[in-house]
Amino acid sequence: MYLDEEIYNAMMASTIKVKDAEIVKGIKENNGKLDYSEINFELLDMMAERLMKNKDKYPKGNMLKHIDVKELEWAAFRHLRKMIQPIDGDVESYEDHLSAVACNLSMILNQLKRWRVHNHQCKE
């Protein structure tokens, strides 16, 4: 459900008039909190679509298993290279390669997390 634009604008103002009563806008502490306002959520959608499309090659949860980081780096690089210097006849679009790079970087991050957890458990 979406708010009427007039109601939304009134809510964003410092005070709101409701049936001749004035309500002072409350305070929500956000200092030091992560700010997601500059994240392009379309990229997340593109990544999700790519992961869903590739389920025939890579089953769900595959990215959480051990994968050599160097292989992931080279996979990301191959897609990045095709973004920088397109290849004639490439069936994948620039956006396809962009989402592939993002997916590979995400998988690298998963591997770093796995490594940290594994190393922490081995030290105990």
Side-chain angles (χ1 to χ4, degrees):
M1 179 173 134
Y2 294 98
L3 294 173
D4 177 272
E5 185 176 352
E6 185 177 336
I7 294 170
Y8 177 80
N9 290 334
M11 288 173 56
M12 295 298 110
S14 58
T15 60
I16 302 169
K17 282 200 169 201
V18 180
K19 293 186 180 181
D20 298 325
E22 190 173 279
I23 301 171
V24 177
K25 185 176 178 183
I27 298 170
K28 174 65 180 111
E29 179 59 53
N30 288 318
N31 290 338
K33 305 287 170 113
L34 291 177
D35 179 2
Y36 293 91
S37 65
E38 297 186 69
I39 303 252
N40 184 330
F41 292 106
E42 185 178 354
L43 179 60
L44 298 178
D45 290 343
M46 290 166 57
M47 290 172 65
E49 288 172 10
R50 184 171 191 91
L51 292 170
M52 288 173 57
K53 184 173 74 173
N54 286 330
K55 286 299 173 220
D56 58 323
K57 292 195 296 187
Y58 309 111
K60 187 172 184 150
N62 184 67
M63 69 170 50
L64 301 174
K65 297 175 182 176
H66 175 73
I67 303 172
D68 183 12
V69 169
K70 197 50 74 181
E71 288 183 35
L72 294 169
E73 291 169 347
W74 281 116
F77 179 78
R78 286 190 295 272
H79 287 285
L80 184 60
R81 184 228 175 257
K82 290 175 185 176
M83 291 168 63
I84 295 168
Q85 187 178 32
I87 297 172
D88 287 339
D90 188 356
V91 295
E92 290 191 292
S93 69
Y94 186 91
E95 289 82 1
D96 291 334
H97 291 299
L98 178 66
S99 66
V101 169
C103 286
N104 281 291
L105 296 178
S106 178
M107 288 187 276
I108 290 170
L109 190 57
N110 284 339
Q111 294 305 310
L112 293 175
K113 183 177 178 182
R114 274 183 97 256
W115 182 81
R116 286 186 190 116
V117 168
H118 176 74
N119 265 3
H120 179 71
Q121 290 172 349
C122 287
K123 290 179 181 178
E124 291 179 347

